[in-house]
Amino acid sequence: MNPKLTPATFVAFVADIFARRGDEEYLGEPVTMSQHMLQAARFAEQAKQPDEVIVAALLHDIGHFTSEFGTYSPDDTEDRHHEDAGGDLLAPFLPPRVTECVRHHVAAKRYLCATRPDYFSKLSPASVHTLSLQGGPMSADEVAAFERNPYLQDIIKVRVYDESGKRADMQTPPFAHYAEMIQAVVDRHCGG
Ligand code: FE
């Protein structure tokens, strides 16, 4: 964990990542990284999801910026596990309802491809490419284990918002729109 990161500095730390790195390309999609995460959050917000689910959608790919292995490239032949990097970064500050959605948003794609026949056809070409790096659709045993996660429904929702947040033409509020909401979730979790 970053030793300078505290419940009081966490939101500014994340805001800084959005500001400095948000314009980077998102996995060969027609949106930047910040547009992608802001769109995912917006879909959660429009669906009147709880703050934790909105925050999870907003921060689900934060590990792309903080992984020691760097960001994803379409030339990758191995997965970089940005979902674990993100979950580890957030875990001291955000509750499991958020961190489980972040940690499992990649597995959720493998889960949905195994359990919903129409889901694979909705994936973008870049998402199909990473699916193969990530292990392809889940086996029956993996599906059964995944369904034991108490946050399964939230994890699936965040995955669907993630998949939707790839629109070249969508306007969203800026990161600042969510700053107070994130701080409130941090404070509830950390007792601030
Ligand atoms: Fe994503």
Side-chain angles (χ1 to χ4, degrees), residues 40-59 94-95 97-99 101 151 153-155 157-158 161 178 180-182 184-185 188:
R42 189 63 171 160
F43 286 118
E45 195 177 17
Q46 286 173 336
K48 305 218 179 321
Q49 290 299 307
D51 290 356
E52 287 82 357
V53 174
I54 298 171
V55 170
L58 181 67
L59 302 182
L94 294 166
R97 191 173 186 183
V98 177
T99 57
C101 290
Y151 301 101
Q153 295 309 320
D154 290 333
I155 291 167
K157 282 180 205 161
V158 169
Y161 301 139
Y178 299 101
E180 263 182 47
M181 179 190 293
I182 302 169
V185 178
R188 281 200 290 279

Side-chain angles (χ1 to χ4, degrees), residues 162-174:
D162 176 7
E163 214 62 61
S164 304
K166 301 176 180 179
R167 298 196 184 176
D169 56 351
M170 182 175 169
Q171 297 294 318
T172 68

Side-chain angles (χ1 to χ4, degrees), residues 7-79:
T9 61
F10 175 76
V11 175
F13 171 82
V14 176
D16 181 62
I17 289 178
F18 270 75
R20 282 189 302 108
R21 309 278 308 270
D23 288 342
E24 291 175 18
E25 190 188 355
Y26 173 60
L27 317 187
E29 305 283 1
V31 288
T32 65
M33 284 299 306
S34 64
Q35 285 170 336
H36 168 61
M37 296 200 285
L38 289 165
Q39 287 182 13
R42 189 63 171 160
F43 286 118
E45 195 177 17
Q46 286 173 336
K48 305 218 179 321
Q49 290 299 307
D51 290 356
E52 287 82 357
V53 174
I54 298 171
V55 170
L58 181 67
L59 302 182
H60 77 272
D61 272 339
I62 201 81
H64 275 305
F65 300 117
T66 58
S67 163
E68 59 184 306
F69 306 112
T71 53
Y72 168 87
S73 145
D75 300 328
D76 282 353
T77 54
E78 272 179 64
D79 185 47

